């Protein structure tokens, strides 16, 4: 009969917190939700600032594409830097928490500095590059530590955390609109800088590793970066390219839905629509995250993308007022906004026999998504400029958005095709 080995005298025994349950696991999940809400929710509420910048001095004389670049640059950097940060924190895990706090200070200073901006290039540098760079350092530790706290419920926990983006995207447009009306742009940005610093700082206390962090002494060899053979696998390539195409469909809607609604309706309706769009993502994140724990995630991707395509082609395409815009915002927001809930389980699959490297495959996919965050809105902006407030005919594509709507729907449809390729690649590995 085998006996459990007795601990040696003087050994330091530390019991790990429970996996998938317990107050510490769900505290981590709740704090991750807050960080996600403050970092991503603010970025996805940029449509409110875009409307303000294009209609108020001193930025209203700038081109719409240049103003849109403020939001797209921030999104692109925040997605694109994830791979670099994953490798960095893998080699220097003991510096991850200090880096989070330093990034929070930088985030505060950039948001505060943008309140003094008078040129669009200053907004791009501060509200775009600065917030995007520091935001990545703030939220990525949540994704790195998530597999430590959740295994069987990883999809659900990831969906709850990702839902922070939708909650912020629902609440923040109303808050930002109210602040812009009452105190103006300058003080809105300053108040938001303080609020972000306080709330995110409190949440950081709950973002802790479940497994003790190794301590390294001067001269001690640190772990090498994991090999990047994952990036050559058909599963990773098919999944990441599909996510890139899905981003080409999602980001233009996120950026332009408020502008479109204001063109065919009024500013209040535009704010409501943007909030509905973002809040629908909350429901989508949780439901799709739950479904990925129960069903194969490629088919969750497939039905999500096909539903998004139909909504773009028929609801947004024929929208001439709130009657069709509202259901489009809800359906597209839930299906397309919840798409990223499949990432945690897909990242583990892409890591193969080394699930501890899921953060690297996750980061690689995020880099692809960052490309679409920049390219999608730029292509849509050029299509919108070419449309010049025209209608395609038969009531389709109001206010010059017809080409944009077809682009969004086509990319969503292509995402569905890519999901089938992902399913085939996954099946090949399983067999």
């Amino acid at each position: 009969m085998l006996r459990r080995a007795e601990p040696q005298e003087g050994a330091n025994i530390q019991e790990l917190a429970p996996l998938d349950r317990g107050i510490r696991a769900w505290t981590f999940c709740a704090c991750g939700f807050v960080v996600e809400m403050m970092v991503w929710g603010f970025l996805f509420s940029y449509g409110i600032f875009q409307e303000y910048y294009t209609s108020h001095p001193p930025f209203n004389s700038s081109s719409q594409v240049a103003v849109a670049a403020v939001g797209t640059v921030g999104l692109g950097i925040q997605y694109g830097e994830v791979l670099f940060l994953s490798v960095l924190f893998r080699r220097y895990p003991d510096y991850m928490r200090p880096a989070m706090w330093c990034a929070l200070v930088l985030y505060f200073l950039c948001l505060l500095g943008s309140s003094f901006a008078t040129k669009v290039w200053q907004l791009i540098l501060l509200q775009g590059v600065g917030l995007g760079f520091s935001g990545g350092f703030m939220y990525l530790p949540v994704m790195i530590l998530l597999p430590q706290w959740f295994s069987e419920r990883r999809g659900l926990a990831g969906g709850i955390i990702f839902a922070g983006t939708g909650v912020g995207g629902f609440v923040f447009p109303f808050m930002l609109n109210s602040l812009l009306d009452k105190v103006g742009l300058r003080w809105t940005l300053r108040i938001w800088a303080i609020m972000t610093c306080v709330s995110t700082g409190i949440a950081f206390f709950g973002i802790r590793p479940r497994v003790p962090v190794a301590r390294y002494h001067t001269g001690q060899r640190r772990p090498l970066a994991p090999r990047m053979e994952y990036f050559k696998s058909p599963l990773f390539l098919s999944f990441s390219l599909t996510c890139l195409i899905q981003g080409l469909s999602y980001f233009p809607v996120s950026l332009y839905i408020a502008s479109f609604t204001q063109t065919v309706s009024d500013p209040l309706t535009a704010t409501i629509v943007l909030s509905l769009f973002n809040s629908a993502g909350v429901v989508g994140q949780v439901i799709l995250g739950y479904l990925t724990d129960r069903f194969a995630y490629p088919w969750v991707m497939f039905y999500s993308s096909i539903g998004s395509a139909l909504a773009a082609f028929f609801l947004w395409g024929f929208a001439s007022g709130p009657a069709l815009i509202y259901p489009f915002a809800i359906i597209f927001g839930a299906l397309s906004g919840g798409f990223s809930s499949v990432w945690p389980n897909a990242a583990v699959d892409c890591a193969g026999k080394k699930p501890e490297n899921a953060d690297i495959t996750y980061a690689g996919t995020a880099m692809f998504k960052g490309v679409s965050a920049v390219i999608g809105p730029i292509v849509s902006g050029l299509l919108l400029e070419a449309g010049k407030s025209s209608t395609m005919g038969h009531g389709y594509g109001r206010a010059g958005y017809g080409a944009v709507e077809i682009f969004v729907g086509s990319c969503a449809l292509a995402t569905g095709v890519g999901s089938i390729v992902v399913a085939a690649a996954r099946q090949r590995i399983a067999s």
Side-chain angles (χ1 to χ4, degrees):
M1 181 177 179
L2 296 176
R3 292 185 177 181
R4 180 178 298 174
E6 296 294 332
Q8 296 180 356
E9 185 178 354
N12 185 16
I13 305 299
Q14 183 174 353
E15 184 178 355
L16 297 180
L19 184 68
D20 284 311
R21 59 186 174 82
I23 185 66
R24 292 182 62 185
W26 292 111
T27 297
F28 171 86
C29 188
C31 291
F33 171 90
V34 173
V35 174
E36 183 87 7
M37 177 177 66
M38 299 309 300
V39 174
W40 288 104
F42 181 73
L43 274 181
F44 282 108
S45 300
Y46 177 72
I48 298 299
F49 285 103
Q50 177 163 319
E51 281 301 311
Y52 190 92
Y53 290 151
T54 54
S55 59
H56 292 77
F59 308 111
N60 57 337
S61 59
S62 302
S63 71
Q64 193 174 53
V65 174
V67 173
V70 178
T72 58
V73 165
L75 283 170
I77 291 176
Q78 197 156 294
Y79 277 114
E81 68 181 329
V82 170
L83 180 58
F84 163 75
L85 294 181
S86 295
V87 175
L88 179 69
F89 290 147
R90 179 66 65 89
R91 187 166 177 79
Y92 300 95
D94 44 331
Y95 289 119
M96 186 165 65
R97 284 184 59 80
M100 291 167 59
W101 289 102
C102 291
L104 181 59
V105 173
L106 178 61
Y107 193 97
F108 171 81
L109 294 176
C110 288
L111 200 52
L112 182 66
S114 64
S115 70
F116 298 97
T118 57
K119 305 290 184 183
V120 172
W121 69 265
Q122 295 169 343
L123 289 177
I124 293 175
L125 181 63
L126 294 168
Q127 197 173 348
V129 176
L131 296 192
F133 178 78
S134 55
F137 279 86
M138 291 162 62
Y139 97 92
L140 183 63
V142 177
M143 295 298 101
I144 292 177
L145 298 176
L146 176 62
Q148 289 189 17
W149 288 103
F150 293 92
S151 178
E152 293 181 0
R153 297 179 178 177
R154 186 182 297 119
L156 175 61
I160 293 172
I161 291 172
F162 289 145
T165 300
V167 172
F170 173 74
V171 177
F172 293 170
F174 291 105
M175 296 175 64
L176 291 170
N177 251 339
S178 178
L179 286 170
L180 288 170
D181 290 340
K182 293 179 179 178
V183 300
L185 174 66
R186 309 300 179 187
W187 276 103
T188 295
L189 291 170
R190 292 163 192 166
I191 291 171
W192 207 266
I194 296 171
M195 188 178 72
T196 300
C197 189
V198 172
S199 57
T200 308
I202 293 173
F204 277 176
F205 288 103
I207 307 299
R208 294 183 176 276
R210 176 173 172 267
V211 179
V213 179
R215 300 293 179 182
Y216 297 92
H217 304 290
T218 303
Q220 187 177 0
R221 189 172 184 178
R222 290 180 172 273
L224 298 175
R227 297 176 62 184
M228 301 298 179
E229 68 269 11
Y230 310 110
F231 297 163
K232 300 178 182 178
S233 73
L235 178 60
F236 172 82
L237 290 174
S238 60
F239 178 75
S240 296
L241 287 172
T242 300
C243 288
L244 187 153
I245 298 171
Q246 193 271 337
L248 294 177
S249 172
Y250 175 78
F251 289 117
V253 179
S254 174
L255 189 61
Y256 286 109
I257 191 171
S259 301
F260 172 81
T261 305
Q262 183 163 330
T263 302
V264 299
S265 187
D266 56 73
L268 177 59
T269 304
T271 301
I272 295 173
V273 166
L274 180 60
S275 295
L276 282 175
F277 174 78
N278 288 326
S279 61
V282 177
V283 180
Q285 293 281 4
V286 176
I287 292 178
L288 295 186
Y290 174 81
L291 290 176
T292 59
D293 288 336
R294 299 294 183 270
F295 306 100
Y297 61 84
W299 298 112
V300 177
M301 296 165 57
F302 175 79
Y303 290 111
S304 167
S305 55
I306 295 302
S308 299
L310 294 175
F313 283 135
F314 296 106
L315 294 179
W316 193 20
F318 288 102
S320 59
L324 289 181
I325 298 175
Y326 284 145
F328 166 72
I330 294 171
I331 295 173
F332 191 93
L335 295 177
S336 190
F339 191 88
S340 57
S341 285
V342 306
W343 284 27
N345 284 330
V348 172
D349 262 8
C350 291
K353 297 180 180 179
K354 295 185 178 180
E356 66 273 13
N357 289 336
D359 60 317
I360 300 297
T361 56
Y362 181 100
T365 301
M367 189 169 61
F368 280 80
K369 192 73 176 277
V371 173
S372 65
V374 175
I375 294 177
I378 291 176
V379 172
S380 297
L382 295 175
L383 292 174
L384 184 58
E385 291 286 338
K388 293 189 181 297
S389 303
S390 61
T391 302
M392 286 187 166
H394 303 289
Y396 194 90
R398 301 274 181 168
Y401 280 82
V404 178
E405 291 156 358
I406 292 175
F407 173 74
V408 167
S410 299
C411 288
L413 201 60
T415 303
V417 176
S419 301
I420 298 175
V421 177
V422 173
R426 187 169 182 259
Q427 182 65 33
R428 183 180 178 183
I429 291 176
S431 60

